[in-house]
Amino acid sequence: MPSDTKARIQAVARELFVRQGVQNTSLRQISERLGITKPALYYHFSSRDDLVRSIVQPMVEDIERFVRDRRSGDPRQLLDDYFELIWRHRDVLVMMIRELSTLSYLDLGTRMFEWRRELIAMLLGPELTQAQHIRATVALGGMSDCAVEYAHLPLEEVKPTAVEAAAVVLGI
């Protein structure tokens, strides 16, 4: 469990990273906003990269757990649960979209494609046509885009439409 100071640093950094981008946010800005010294911030995080990783890592762990522990079942329930997962991490997704270099942290670009392939197999099975793969990519990518584009709205306003649209695209 992170210390209170560490959690406060992560919260302020996340907010600034989402608003102004990772590269445009200095550790000085974060420390000033918190009213702590830069050395105090360095006590908890050795660099901005270390801080970014600490913010992205919970999303990575949650998605990996979801993909690893999930078994095929009701595809609509899978879509529903997946949307809730990405919604919980929408601030990290916004960070990544705002500044694509964030994908290099923890090799996210490659990992995200692997996760998507595994989810597609869970949704539609292992033997798919190219057209089915393309539809599934559009459906899952569209759900992620909705979590980013409509992050300011309540979950209950976004989720039903996003999940239904994905299900229609997938034909499930």
Side-chain angles (χ1 to χ4, degrees), residues 11 14 19 33-34 36 57 68-69 88 95 100 107 112 120 123 125 132 135 143 150 152 157 159 162 172:
R14 182 182 296 108
R19 188 165 6 112
R33 177 93 176 271
L34 286 162
I36 63 174
Q57 187 65 37
R68 180 189 64 235
D69 296 347
R88 277 195 309 274
M95 271 175 48
L100 293 176
D107 194 27
M112 291 179 90
I120 289 170
L123 282 164
Q132 287 174 308
R135 281 195 300 276
M143 287 176 65
Y150 304 107
H152 62 285
E157 287 184 29
K159 181 179 145 186
I172 55 175

Side-chain angles (χ1 to χ4, degrees), residues 61-77:
E61 291 171 359
D62 281 355
I63 294 174
E64 285 183 345
R65 187 177 315 106
F66 184 86
V67 170
R68 180 189 64 235
D69 296 347
R70 198 63 191 238
R71 298 293 165 245
S72 295
D74 177 26
R76 282 199 181 234
Q77 186 63 52

Side-chain angles (χ1 to χ4, degrees), residues 76 79-80 83 139 142-143 146 150 153-169:
R76 282 199 181 234
L79 287 176
D80 197 79
F83 189 81
M143 287 176 65
C146 284
Y150 304 107
L153 296 174
L155 171 68
E156 56 275 2
E157 287 184 29
V158 181
K159 181 179 145 186
T161 305
V163 171
E164 178 60 29
V168 167
V169 169

Side-chain angles (χ1 to χ4, degrees), residues 18 59 82-95 97 139-155 158-159 162-163:
V18 167
M59 180 193 76
Y82 179 67
F83 189 81
E84 286 190 16
L85 170 66
I86 59 177
W87 186 263
R88 277 195 309 274
H89 296 288
R90 66 192 179 278
D91 55 345
V92 174
L93 293 173
V94 168
M95 271 175 48
I97 297 300
L140 294 175
M143 287 176 65
S144 295
D145 288 352
C146 284
V148 169
E149 183 72 24
Y150 304 107
H152 62 285
L153 296 174
L155 171 68
V158 181
K159 181 179 145 186
V163 171

Side-chain angles (χ1 to χ4, degrees), residues 101-112:
S101 65
T102 309
L103 289 172
S104 67
Y105 293 92
L106 306 168
D107 194 27
L108 282 176
T110 302
R111 288 171 121 171
M112 291 179 90

